[in-house]
Amino acid sequence: KMASSCTPWIGSAYLFLQSTCKTIVLPSLYESSQKKPSVFKALKLALEDSTGSGNGVDMLKVHCSHPHLIVQLKFCKQENCRQFLQSYREGALQQSLQNHLQLSLAMTTVPLEMELKAGNEHLDKMLKDEDRCLECIYREKPDRLRDEEITELEELLKSLIFHPSTNNSVAEKDCASLTSPSLPNPSKGTSFSSQDHFVFQGQQFANRTLTRDDHQKFAKLVSKKWKQVGRSLQKYCRGLRDPVIDNLALEYEREGLYEQAYQLLCRFIESEGKKATIALLISALEENGLISLAEELLGLHSGEDFS
């Protein structure tokens, strides 16, 4: 059932965006430190247009999943969600976003295709039944807090609005800090000779994304220190703040330490994608004195007791 008058109406949906022009790849534009503020500005303004309000719909996270840019949306009022659906159904949201992207990116045209989903439901198939769409969105509660990158982009956008003399190089520098996590300090053990390689205990290793084998070994061997490792990963991963780690501990308490540690790496990978590398995990292990586990993941010796 929908929320009663005494309870807040909160729902969530995913907006899938793809350019129909082969030379315009939205995820690549958003991943660019120079273009990201422009794409974000266009998204924010178009969503404001769709509800007629600056806070009618909230962006929780923007996912880059080539060829799609996926925006996770949160609605806090049924009326705002209804206005959004009407704008989406009538094509007004699509036209607004195309116009804002065209202006923000200084392009002649940015043709778009859109798709709206709530959970497993494809809302495009039921847009004429607005109440059913509202029910689907209401059933899907947001599974995350707003990503810190979104908050930082909004602050950056405000600073550019209130200080229009700020030049592009400053904006690019600020945005670059959002997309480039600081690497471990070489003086602390693990060092990066480049993003493709890192040095551990005097040996050079190829950096790579985490594998299923890494995942299972970590979950099996890290034992009670999984939370400390999670906190060390916070410097690289906005999706592993203390409340998230605490929630994992509670949610998977019955399943035990293996599942808690396994889910920690799941969140790390979900949040950072290809940036969730073995080098960052090794650095976090070193920081917590888990040298033997680091050596195990790098194939230097067989497992020992890491508790």
Side-chain angles (χ1 to χ4, degrees):
K1 288 186 176 181
M2 301 287 249
S4 64
S5 58
C6 61
T7 57
W9 195 100
I10 296 176
S12 180
Y14 286 90
L15 181 63
F16 287 71
L17 306 170
Q18 179 180 0
S19 171
T20 56
C21 177
K22 292 182 179 180
T23 59
I24 301 173
V25 184
L26 290 178
S28 296
L29 290 172
Y30 194 79
E31 289 170 335
S32 162
S33 61
Q34 296 180 7
K35 300 295 185 182
K36 178 174 287 194
S38 299
V39 177
F40 178 79
K41 178 182 178 182
L43 287 169
K44 183 172 177 60
L45 292 176
L47 290 171
E48 288 180 2
D49 291 345
S50 73
T51 60
S53 168
N55 55 6
V57 55
D58 192 17
M59 281 186 280
L60 297 183
K61 185 173 178 65
V62 179
H63 305 262
C64 293
S65 179
H66 292 260
H68 293 99
L69 197 65
I70 308 172
V71 187
Q72 186 175 4
L73 304 174
K74 174 185 176 182
F75 300 91
C76 290
K77 291 184 179 179
Q78 181 177 329
E79 186 54 39
N80 288 334
C81 189
R82 192 181 294 275
Q83 289 178 313
F84 170 86
L85 286 170
Q86 291 172 351
S87 177
Y88 182 85
R89 183 179 65 245
E90 295 166 2
L93 173 63
Q94 181 174 348
Q95 187 60 54
S96 174
L97 183 52
Q98 287 179 168
N99 292 342
H100 285 302
L101 284 170
Q102 183 177 336
L103 290 171
S104 295
L105 297 169
M107 293 182 173
T108 54
T109 180
V110 184
L112 293 175
E113 284 184 351
M114 289 184 167
E115 188 175 0
L116 190 64
K117 296 181 181 180
N120 295 323
E121 300 288 349
H122 293 248
L123 301 186
D124 298 75
K125 299 177 181 179
M126 59 179 86
L127 287 174
K128 291 183 180 180
D129 190 344
E130 194 171 279
D131 287 337
R132 186 182 171 197
C133 288
L134 285 168
E135 288 177 6
C136 292
I137 292 172
Y138 176 69
R139 281 201 305 267
E140 290 299 314
K141 301 304 181 190
D143 61 356
R144 66 167 68 243
L145 299 174
R146 180 198 281 199
D147 192 82
E148 285 192 6
E149 182 178 79
I150 298 292
T151 302
E152 291 172 10
L153 281 165
E154 288 197 338
E155 292 301 317
L156 175 61
L157 189 57
K158 287 178 184 177
S159 72
L160 294 177
I161 292 172
F162 291 114
H163 305 286
S165 61
T166 303
N167 60 38
N168 289 337
S169 63
V170 174
E172 290 168 13
K173 180 181 178 182
D174 288 346
C175 189
S177 69
L178 303 179
T179 57
S180 302
S182 58
L183 296 176
N185 187 334
S187 65
K188 293 187 177 180
T190 300
S191 65
F192 287 66
S193 54
S194 73
Q195 290 191 353
D196 297 325
H197 294 85
F198 67 100
V199 176
F200 172 75
Q201 295 186 343
Q203 298 184 51
Q204 184 167 282
F205 295 89
N207 198 7
R208 54 176 173 77
T209 54
L210 295 171
T211 65
R212 181 180 296 274
D213 189 48
D214 296 328
H215 214 140
Q216 293 175 341
K217 283 182 179 179
F218 173 82
K220 180 181 178 181
L221 301 171
V222 70
S223 191
K224 296 178 181 179
K225 286 194 174 182
W226 70 269
K227 292 178 77 172
Q228 290 97 306
V229 175
R231 293 190 178 100
S232 294
L233 287 172
Q234 287 176 351
K235 64 172 73 74
Y236 319 115
C237 178
R238 296 182 175 88
L240 286 180
R241 297 306 179 198
D242 284 343
V244 174
I245 294 174
D246 292 339
N247 285 340
L248 288 175
L250 290 172
E251 187 175 352
Y252 296 97
E253 184 176 11
R254 288 186 178 182
E255 285 85 347
L257 294 173
Y258 178 94
E259 191 61 28
Q260 290 169 330
Y262 192 90
Q263 293 298 327
L264 175 79
L265 281 198
C266 282
R267 294 299 175 93
F268 180 43
I269 294 167
E270 285 171 6
S271 178
E272 298 303 309
K274 293 180 179 179
K275 294 179 183 178
T277 63
I278 187 67
L280 299 185
L281 181 57
I282 294 298
S283 176
L285 293 174
E286 275 192 289
E287 193 172 305
N288 291 281
L290 295 168
I291 304 302
S292 292
L293 176 48
E295 292 172 346
E296 173 70 19
L297 292 179
L298 295 174
L300 297 180
H301 66 64
S302 54
E304 296 175 5
D305 181 10
F306 302 97
S307 59

